[in-house]
Amino acid sequence: MKRLPWGIRSSEIYVPLGDKYFPKQAEILHTLDSNIQFKVLAGGVGASKSWTSARDVLPEIVLANLWRYQNGLPKWTELGSETLNVWLAGDNYNQPRKEWQFIYDAISQNEHLWKLCGGIVREKTSIPRDGPWYFETGLGVVVETKSWDNPESFHSEKVHVMVLAESGLLDAWTWENRILPRVVKANGICVLNGT
C-alpha cells in the first residue's frame, strides 16, 4: 500500500483541519519518503505521540477507497468493495483508545473529512466500557482497537494500516508472529509509538 503523497495529505486532510504543528510533528507528518512502510515515533510523556500517530494515518483512512497517485497526477479511483482494516493495537484494549478517539473526532467533527470518507456508519460504531472500540466509514474502512495480549483479537485478516500504542511493551514473538504477518499480507502501513 503506497502512502498518499504529501500534497494530497496536506491539502485534503491537514489544511481543512486547520491544525498547527510543532516542528517535530510537521517533520513526522511530512516525511520526505512518503512510501515508508514502518515508522517509529518515540518521545517522553505528553509528547503528542498518540495525536501524531493518529494524524499520520488519518489521510489513508479518510481517502482509503478514493486514493492512488498515478502518472504524477492525482487520479482518484475506487478500490472496489474490499474492506480496508485499520487496527489500533496495544497490550490491552484501553491502550490505543486515544488514537481511536483522535481519528473518530477528526472525521466526525469536520464536514470535509466526513464527506470524503462517506461518513461514519452509526449502526456500526461500538464504544463499550470494556473490549474493542470500533467504527466503520461509509466507504468501507473499519477502524478498531485490538489487544495483542488477546490471541483471538489478532486473527488472520490482512491489515492495511496498523498503529501500535506503547510499542515498547511488545515482545518479539508477538511482533514476528501476530503483527508483522498481518501488515505484510496487505503491504500495509505500520506506525509504532511509545515513550
Side-chain angles (χ1 to χ4, degrees), residues 4-16:
L4 286 166
W6 172 254
I8 294 173
R9 285 187 276 149
S10 178
S11 63
E12 295 293 330
I13 308 300
Y14 303 139
V15 170

Side-chain angles (χ1 to χ4, degrees), residues 53-120:
S53 297
R55 284 298 195 264
D56 188 54
V57 300
L58 183 64
E60 315 305 329
I61 294 167
V62 171
L63 299 172
N65 279 336
L66 295 171
W67 65 310
R68 279 323 78 197
Y69 205 75
Q70 298 172 354
N71 304 320
L73 298 169
K75 182 177 179 183
W76 307 107
T77 58
E78 290 209 30
L79 295 178
S81 60
E82 179 184 8
T83 297
L84 273 83
N85 294 307
V86 178
W87 288 6
L88 311 172
D91 66 335
N92 59 60
Y93 289 110
N94 294 331
Q95 198 74 55
R97 286 186 174 176
K98 283 183 188 174
E99 288 84 350
W100 188 95
Q101 193 68 57
F102 286 135
I103 292 166
Y104 183 86
D105 289 348
I107 294 171
S108 62
Q109 295 173 8
N110 186 287
E111 185 179 350
H112 177 70
L113 301 188
W114 179 272
K115 288 178 182 176
L116 283 175
C117 70
I120 292 174

Side-chain angles (χ1 to χ4, degrees), residues 7-66:
I8 294 173
R9 285 187 276 149
S10 178
S11 63
E12 295 293 330
I13 308 300
Y14 303 139
V15 170
L17 282 172
D19 288 329
K20 303 281 188 252
Y21 299 104
F22 292 115
K24 271 293 175 201
Q25 291 169 332
E27 184 182 325
I28 290 164
L29 296 169
H30 188 183
T31 304
L32 293 176
D33 178 7
S34 63
N35 294 326
I36 195 165
Q37 187 173 15
F38 296 93
K39 189 180 284 190
V40 177
L41 304 179
V45 175
S48 299
K49 297 175 300 293
S50 296
W51 187 88
T52 306
S53 297
R55 284 298 195 264
D56 188 54
V57 300
L58 183 64
E60 315 305 329
I61 294 167
V62 171
L63 299 172
N65 279 336
L66 295 171

